[in-house]
């Protein structure tokens, strides 16, 4: 079974600074996807960034980027130029490849990010 | 922008009672999911649903649970006889076509079983 681990229950960052959230996962699959979801206090989870395991290039979405280390099974999220609106719970999630999956997401425990003005 | 909606936002029920949690997925989406999050714990997958059938379910999704798409817009999760341990936040999600498309989540229903 696949597992996802986020070892940082809480992180904090000063506005405009950079913060990195950690995630490790365990799988025997070679075809999979990794995601970071953001859950603001309003509770609706939104997708921040996605990484396909077959792609060597790290995904980037504006101020958000990942460091995907496939051999180490590590998938960290870097938030640059942090903004007050980035404050939320962040979940790392795993999904098996499309050929063997109906879409089930396996989530980590979450990291609460606080942004200080 | 289209979004997934869920009702009610909070449901309180007595142990042993049946509850139905409702979700309206995004209109052109075809894959539907339920997840739950017990307070302080991980978000856990319950079930996926496509073409009026369950595609995949977790060990949590036992005979007490059922899902249904009763019409063209609603997707429901029924818990037949609630237990204290069913108290959790329940999230509905949907995706447009194949499962590898992005899942869009609703705001959740907080279920409290007394």
């Amino acid at each position: 079974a696949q597992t996802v681990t986020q070892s940082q229950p809480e992180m904090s960052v000063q506005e405009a600074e950079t913060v990195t959230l950690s995630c490790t996962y365990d799988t025997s699959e070679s075809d999979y996807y990794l995601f970071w979801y953001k859950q603001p206090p309003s509770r609706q989870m939104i997708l921040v960034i996605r990484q396909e395991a077959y792609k060597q290039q790290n995904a980037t979405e504006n101020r958000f980027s990942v460091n995907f280390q496939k051999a180490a099974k590590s998938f960290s999220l870097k938030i640059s130029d942090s903004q007050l609106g980035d404050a939320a719970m962040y979940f790392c999630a795993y999904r098996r490849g499309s050929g063997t999956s109906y879409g089930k997401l396996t989530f980590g425990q979450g990291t609460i990010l606080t942004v200080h003005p | 922008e289209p979004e997934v909606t869920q009702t009610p936002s909070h449901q309180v029920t007595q142990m042993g009672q049946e509850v139905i949690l409702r979700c309206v997925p995004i209109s052109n989406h075809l894959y539907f999911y339920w997840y739950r999050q017990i307070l302080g714990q991980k978000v856990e997958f319950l079930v996926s649903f496509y073409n009026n059938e369950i595609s995949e379910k977790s060990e949590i999704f036992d005979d007490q649970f059922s899902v249904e798409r009763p019409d063209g817009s609603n997707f429901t999760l029924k818990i037949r006889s609630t237990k204290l341990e069913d108290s959790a936040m329940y999230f509905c999600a949907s995706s447009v076509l194949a499962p590898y498309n992005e899942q869009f989540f609703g705001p959740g229903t907080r279920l409290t079983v007394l």
Side-chain angles (χ1 to χ4, degrees), chain A residues 19 21 36-38 46-50 58-67 76-83 85-88 90 113:
Chain A
V19 64
L21 308 184
W36 279 97
Y37 277 87
K38 172 185 177 182
I46 55 176
L47 180 66
V48 174
I49 199 164
R50 165 173 50 204
N58 289 324
T60 299
E61 289 287 342
N62 301 313
R63 298 182 295 107
F64 298 88
S65 61
V66 299
N67 184 4
S76 60
L77 174 70
K78 184 170 86 170
I79 306 174
S80 304
D81 185 26
S82 297
Q83 300 175 0
D86 294 334
Y90 286 81
L113 177 66

Side-chain angles (χ1 to χ4, degrees), chain A residues 11 14 18 20 27 32 41 52 57 67 75 81 84 86 90 97-98 104 109 114:
Chain A
M11 291 285 284
Q14 290 293 132
T18 296
T20 299
T27 183
Y32 55 88
E52 293 87 344
Q57 188 171 6
N67 184 4
F75 182 61
D81 185 26
L84 295 177
D86 294 334
Y90 286 81
S98 56
K104 169 186 172 182
Q109 301 92 325
T114 302

Side-chain angles (χ1 to χ4, degrees), chain B residues 31-103:
Chain B
Y31 285 82
F32 313 112
Y33 312 86
W34 283 101
Y35 294 84
R36 80 171 185 190
Q37 184 181 26
I38 295 171
L39 187 63
Q41 297 186 25
K42 291 185 183 190
V43 177
E44 301 171 291
F45 169 80
L46 292 178
V47 66
S48 61
F49 189 85
Y50 170 70
N51 199 26
N52 282 318
E53 290 183 346
I54 290 174
S55 306
E56 188 176 6
K57 60 182 181 179
S58 70
E59 307 82 33
I60 304 167
F61 196 87
D62 60 21
D63 292 344
Q64 293 284 71
F65 292 89
S66 62
V67 288
E68 192 179 29
R69 187 152 163 84
D71 52 43
S73 58
N74 290 282
F75 179 51
T76 61
L77 174 69
K78 181 192 289 186
I79 309 175
R80 288 190 181 81
S81 178
T82 50
K83 306 179 186 119
L84 295 176
E85 54 265 37
D86 293 328
S87 294
M89 197 77 168
Y90 288 82
F91 294 101
C92 173
S94 67
S95 62
V96 58
L97 288 172
Y100 48 81
N101 289 129
E102 176 185 350
Q103 290 180 30

